[in-house]
Amino acid sequence: FRKIRQQLLSENRFTKYLVYAIGEIILVVIGILIAVGINTQYNKIQNEKKIEAILRQVQKELLIDIADAKRIFNVFIKKDSLARKIIDDKVTVEMFIENPRKFRITNNYVSFSNKKGGYKRIMANLEILPERFNGILVPLNTLYVEFQNDIDDYNSTIKNLTDDNSAQGYLNNPKHIDFLLGKFPEEGASYFVNDPYFKNITALYINRFSSITNAVNKYRIESVRLYKKIDSLLGKDKTKLPELLHVLPEKETIKPYIGIYKRIGETFGRDYPDVSVSLEKELLLINQHKDGERKLYWDSGPYFFERRGLIYKLYRNTKGQRVIEMSNGQRNIILINKNDLK
């Protein structure tokens, strides 16, 4: 090119030189555009890899959060059965002396704290977020902003109640410390068992525990959905999901419970319609007619939950009847399969 340029100039062939110069400029521009295109494509690939790595971090943190939400629900299951015994006056002084810590369920609380590292990294890298990942922003904000506000409120509410109740125990009962030290066990146990405040604070506590359980169960449901959505965006939706994400046990264990159920026990003079239980894809559905259809999600063993935080237990009683037991700490409803009542 240099020789051609020098030859054209030496021969005073300006017009051809000008054409040559323009051509050379065009070649340079084309070269720059190719370089820019290659660089842009390289940056795009690197950005995609970075976002994909962050989304995998989000998934790992979701699994940690789901495990913690499951822990809280399992604590609620245990406290629920104890609370109902206290509220229904089924706790005796002897039972309290044998294990006082067991029945003083309001002296401690659980709180839910989710992991937000991946979410914060996504928010900090929005300018490089590939367009195909835009659909992830709404569920991310729902989980880490909208649900977070409710969780923070409920965490604070149950913590304050527990702290206040612990203080009241020291102030209201002169023998509180003696009882904790093992002195006057009968007097201390009698005080707790027969004090109306004990029953009332238990009812209030389990109600607030139900609220935080409800919130974390909603968080858990949305976490499962978000995990699956990320899998789909990453092209991994055909892979086997971790066990923590299963919302239904083996179908063979559930199928026997499909059918129509009748409410048993105290109905307070009301005529309750039958309840139907069905299976749809990966979810167990329960239709209570006036309340509409509800989706049940599997926790572990015989226990299920739904968005409102209720506990559902599916089992066979001593008569071999198929039972669905519903509870929220204060109310306990028993449903029995109608075929087993014949």
Side-chain angles (χ1 to χ4, degrees):
F1 286 152
R2 189 182 301 112
K3 288 180 179 179
I4 293 172
R5 184 169 62 248
Q6 290 173 350
Q7 183 179 352
L8 291 173
L9 288 172
S10 64
E11 295 176 358
N12 292 321
R13 299 169 69 182
F14 182 74
T15 302
K16 289 188 176 182
Y17 172 76
L18 185 61
V19 172
Y20 161 79
I22 292 172
E24 193 173 78
I25 292 172
I26 291 173
L27 285 175
V28 172
V29 170
I30 291 173
I32 292 173
L33 290 176
I34 291 173
V36 170
I38 292 173
N39 186 62
T40 300
Q41 186 63 27
Y42 173 78
N43 287 336
K44 182 179 178 181
I45 293 172
Q46 293 304 111
N47 289 342
E48 289 231 2
K49 288 182 178 179
K50 182 176 182 179
I51 295 299
E52 288 177 2
I54 296 174
L55 289 177
R56 284 193 289 271
Q57 178 185 346
V58 171
Q59 286 187 311
K60 289 179 181 178
E61 292 174 348
L62 287 175
L63 290 177
I64 295 172
D65 292 343
I66 290 170
D68 198 40
K70 185 172 183 176
R71 173 187 66 87
I72 289 177
F73 183 66
N74 289 338
V75 172
F76 179 61
I77 290 173
K78 294 177 182 178
K79 293 207 172 191
D80 164 78
S81 61
L82 294 174
R84 279 190 281 110
K85 287 181 181 179
I86 294 169
I87 294 169
D88 294 339
D89 296 319
K90 293 182 179 179
V91 179
T92 64
V93 172
E94 290 74 23
M95 291 167 64
F96 205 98
I97 292 174
E98 184 180 348
N99 192 347
R101 293 180 62 86
K102 178 179 178 181
F103 295 102
R104 296 172 64 221
I105 66 173
T106 63
N107 278 30
N108 56 69
Y109 67 96
V110 296
S111 60
F112 180 72
S113 178
N114 55 347
K115 304 293 181 288
K116 305 183 187 70
Y119 170 71
K120 290 179 179 179
R121 288 183 66 195
I122 285 287
M123 293 298 106
N125 287 277
L126 288 179
E127 72 280 358
I128 66 168
L129 187 72
E131 188 175 348
R132 71 187 182 93
F133 291 123
N134 285 344
I136 208 73
L137 294 178
V138 172
L140 278 172
N141 284 315
T142 297
L143 200 62
Y144 292 102
V145 179
E146 182 181 334
F147 283 9
Q148 187 65 53
N149 292 333
D150 289 340
I151 288 169
D152 290 343
D153 288 343
Y154 292 135
N155 278 340
S156 176
T157 299
I158 195 169
K159 180 180 184 300
N160 292 338
L161 177 66
T162 300
D163 291 344
D164 290 345
N165 180 58
S166 296
Q168 288 299 321
Y170 290 98
L171 296 174
N172 293 347
N173 183 3
K175 295 187 179 297
H176 186 84
I177 291 295
D178 286 336
F179 176 71
L180 294 180
L181 294 174
K183 302 176 182 179
F184 312 107
E186 290 189 9
E187 291 183 33
S190 179
Y191 169 82
F192 282 108
V193 171
N194 297 314
D195 181 17
Y197 175 81
F198 177 57
K199 182 191 294 188
N200 292 344
I201 195 65
T202 298
L204 181 59
Y205 175 87
I206 204 66
N207 178 267
R208 294 191 179 179
F209 203 138
S210 176
S211 295
I212 185 63
T213 303
N214 180 23
V216 299
N217 278 343
K218 287 181 180 178
Y219 187 97
R220 182 173 168 184
I221 292 168
E222 294 304 317
S223 293
V224 172
R225 291 175 181 168
L226 179 57
Y227 190 103
K228 291 179 178 179
K229 188 174 184 64
I230 293 174
D231 258 5
S232 179
L233 289 171
L234 297 179
K236 297 167 53 182
D237 50 324
K238 302 298 181 182
T239 58
K240 187 176 180 181
L241 291 172
E243 187 175 348
L244 274 173
L245 301 180
H246 293 181
V247 294
L248 194 71
E250 294 294 330
K251 290 186 179 180
E252 295 305 316
T253 65
I254 291 299
K255 284 182 179 178
Y257 292 92
I258 305 304
I260 307 299
Y261 286 74
K262 181 177 180 61
R263 180 166 175 161
I264 303 299
E266 182 62 65
T267 60
F268 303 101
R270 297 175 60 183
D271 183 22
Y272 287 92
D274 293 338
V275 174
S276 64
V277 177
S278 59
L279 191 62
E280 182 179 302
K281 295 182 180 178
E282 293 186 346
L283 288 175
L284 194 64
L285 305 179
I286 184 166
N287 194 324
Q288 302 185 68
H289 303 287
K290 64 184 180 67
D291 293 331
E293 192 173 69
R294 295 177 185 170
K295 299 176 180 178
L296 302 190
Y297 300 84
W298 183 50
D299 177 67
S300 60
Y303 293 103
F304 289 74
F305 66 92
E306 46 118 334
R307 289 178 66 92
R308 298 191 309 164
L310 295 177
I311 301 170
Y312 290 79
K313 184 180 180 182
L314 279 61
Y315 63 96
R316 288 184 181 269
N317 60 19
T318 55
K319 297 180 180 179
Q321 297 170 319
R322 287 162 290 183
V323 178
I324 296 179
E325 185 175 346
M326 302 160 50
S327 177
N328 65 353
Q330 298 182 43
R331 295 181 61 202
N332 190 44
I333 297 172
I334 300 293
L335 306 171
I336 295 183
N337 192 293
K338 291 188 72 173
N339 289 332
D340 296 337
L341 293 172
K342 296 178 182 178

